[in-house]
Amino acid sequence: MGLTLTIVVGAYFLAEGVATIMYALEHRRELSERWSWMLFAGLLDILIAAMIIVGLPGSAEWAIGLLVGINLLFSGASMVGVALAVRNA
């Protein structure tokens, strides 16, 4: 069960990273100062997905807690950056 959940989390991070990068590139005109934070968050999601997938099955033991926490931290920081850009616009 833990291995399956880790694979699902890896696939989720990969999909979220691609979607975030596409969103950042699509909205770089509107978010002129902060779109790079969204791009960085998307690249970090893809890196996390790669770490999970390459490290299987050993990554099933530690990946979910640590990498989900890192993802939440950087996704939240990028959303704060986007919100500040919108507020100042």
Side-chain angles (χ1 to χ4, degrees):
M1 168 112 171
L3 182 63
T4 305
L5 183 59
T6 305
I7 292 170
V8 169
V9 168
Y12 171 76
F13 282 147
L14 184 63
E16 182 182 17
V18 169
T20 303
I21 290 171
M22 289 172 45
Y23 182 81
L25 294 176
E26 179 77 24
H27 291 39
R28 65 180 158 200
R29 287 185 203 109
E30 293 90 13
L31 304 173
S32 60
E33 296 177 9
R34 307 286 186 201
W35 75 274
S36 59
W37 285 101
M38 293 288 293
L39 182 68
F40 178 72
L43 292 172
L44 187 66
D45 285 341
I46 291 175
L47 177 68
I48 290 171
M51 288 174 59
I52 291 173
I53 293 168
V54 168
L56 285 174
S59 64
E61 298 172 3
W62 56 267
I64 294 175
L66 179 67
L67 298 178
V68 168
I70 291 170
N71 176 285
L72 290 173
L73 181 69
F74 280 97
S75 295
S78 69
M79 289 295 131
V80 168
V82 170
L84 290 174
V86 170
R87 187 177 86 178
N88 293 333

